[in-house]
Amino acid sequence: MAAEIGVAVIGFGLAGQVFHAPFVSAVPGLKLEAIVQRRGDEAAKAYPSARILRSFEEALSDPAVQLVVVGTPNETHFDLAKQALLAGKHVVVDKPFAATSEETLELKELGQKQGRVLAPFHNRRWDGDFLTVKKILQNESVGRLVTYESHFDRFRPVPRENTWKEGASGCNGLLFDLAPHLVDQVLTLFGAPDGITASVRMDRDSTDIEDAFDITLEYPKMRAHCRSSMLACDAAPRFLLHGTRGASRSLALIRRSRRCWVERSCHAWARGVVGRRRGALGHADGRSRPE
């Protein structure tokens, strides 16, 4: 039996609490060795078997840690990933992978030079509704696909206070927060596009970040639209597919409370089923059935 891979989760905010620590704990072959939380005892209470470290440097010098998962504020991703690679660790980086294409290329080349795995955290490839979309396309249930539409909408007309995500930084905003998920799903399904157009905007009356985007990826005889807004009081379907034989729509994810969702769903997400989603598949002959 192969030895477990020792993992250190860097940061215990939303990403660390809801995604990284639960997923590492749920995946066979991974061992949650340590969590870096500079202040507070939330990590110790949630994961008493993991060592709680107060500095990133402690994780880098720990021989039991082979893999570092970076789940810290966006503007720190590049520097922390670079330090981890130089320390000989494998690295998973939450989105955004880096702030610029130049930084991304530098990390890629460093990972190759160090002989270490370097990967973005593309967890949305295993969302239940996305797997359903893949199955619909594989089965050609809507015929030849003409338009693919993917939304991640919110209604937050007033910026939240006391959060770095609303701060005036070139690394923040919906383009870096949500577009990596939506665009990665399109690339997973259809590969590289022939062309890309985009509108990235500040729609709210008061905001320091880009809070809306529309991205269109163009393919032969098909277009894929990725959209997000913080002024979507009536959210659009999560996925909307139009084809020559029908259409499919998948409504938004219905989440329970965070604690309940985390405790009950981290294992289910690893299997590709998270939360409860509702949708319908319609055909040109008038037939319709739930997805």
Side-chain angles (χ1 to χ4, degrees):
M1 181 177 179
E4 292 182 314
I5 298 172
V7 182
V9 171
I10 314 302
F12 202 66
L14 175 66
Q17 292 180 39
V18 175
F19 297 103
H20 301 307
F23 289 5
V24 170
S25 299
V27 174
L30 299 182
K31 180 181 179 182
L32 185 58
E33 285 281 354
I35 299 172
V36 175
Q37 184 182 20
R38 297 186 185 278
R39 296 179 298 274
D41 60 355
E42 294 86 356
K45 291 179 179 178
Y47 299 95
S49 62
R51 288 176 287 113
I52 308 304
L53 309 179
R54 296 304 185 185
S55 74
F56 179 58
E57 291 71 23
E58 290 180 81
L60 297 187
S61 62
D62 191 332
V65 172
Q66 292 91 47
L67 170 63
V68 165
V69 180
V70 178
T72 53
N74 294 353
E75 61 188 12
T76 67
H77 289 184
F78 171 75
D79 287 336
L80 296 184
K82 183 176 180 179
Q83 290 180 54
L85 289 171
L86 290 172
K89 308 296 185 184
H90 303 285
V91 183
V92 170
V93 187
D94 209 328
K95 46 78 186 171
F97 190 78
T100 66
S101 56
E102 291 79 11
E103 289 182 351
T104 300
L105 182 59
E106 182 178 342
L107 289 179
K108 177 185 176 183
E109 292 175 347
L110 179 59
Q112 294 171 340
K113 179 181 178 181
Q114 295 289 98
R116 293 295 180 265
V117 173
L118 172 66
F121 182 62
H122 281 319
N123 60 304
R124 296 288 177 181
R125 294 181 184 182
W126 289 271
D127 277 8
D129 56 2
F130 179 64
L131 295 179
T132 298
V133 167
K134 289 182 67 174
K135 184 176 180 180
I136 288 171
L137 296 178
Q138 290 168 356
N139 294 339
E140 298 183 348
S141 301
V142 298
R144 178 177 60 80
L145 186 66
V146 176
T147 59
Y148 165 103
E149 196 164 318
S150 174
H151 284 255
F152 233 133
D153 291 329
R154 297 169 174 169
F155 187 64
R156 190 174 294 151
V158 178
R160 291 179 297 172
E161 297 180 351
N162 303 317
T163 173
W164 58 264
K165 289 190 175 183
E166 296 273 8
S169 166
C171 299
N172 295 339
L174 285 192
L175 185 68
F176 278 156
D177 187 27
L178 297 178
H181 291 314
L182 304 190
V183 173
D184 175 68
Q185 289 178 332
V186 172
L187 298 179
T188 299
L189 290 173
F190 309 116
D194 293 337
I196 301 174
T197 58
S199 169
V200 183
R201 311 178 300 279
M202 294 180 174
D203 279 352
R204 293 180 294 182
D205 292 332
S206 175
T207 181
D208 290 326
I209 62 171
E210 296 161 339
D211 55 16
F213 65 77
D214 293 273
I215 302 172
T216 298
L217 295 88
E218 300 179 6
Y219 296 88
K221 305 188 76 172
M222 192 276 288
R223 287 189 174 188
H225 305 286
C226 300
R227 294 174 170 144
S228 183
S229 172
M230 285 192 176
L231 291 178
C233 185
D234 187 7
R238 175 67 181 87
F239 291 102
L240 180 61
L241 311 177
H242 289 295
T244 56
R245 293 181 52 232
S248 172
R249 70 179 184 272
S250 174
L251 303 187
L253 171 67
I254 303 172
R255 293 185 179 178
R256 308 173 181 90
S257 68
R258 179 184 298 179
R259 179 176 178 182
C260 180
W261 182 61
V262 171
E263 290 179 349
R264 298 185 183 182
S265 296
C266 63
H267 289 275
W269 196 317
R271 298 194 303 271
V273 181
V274 180
R276 296 186 298 115
R277 298 181 188 265
R278 298 168 55 201
L281 178 65
H283 287 271
D285 60 7
R287 292 181 294 118
S288 179
R289 64 178 177 82
E291 292 178 350

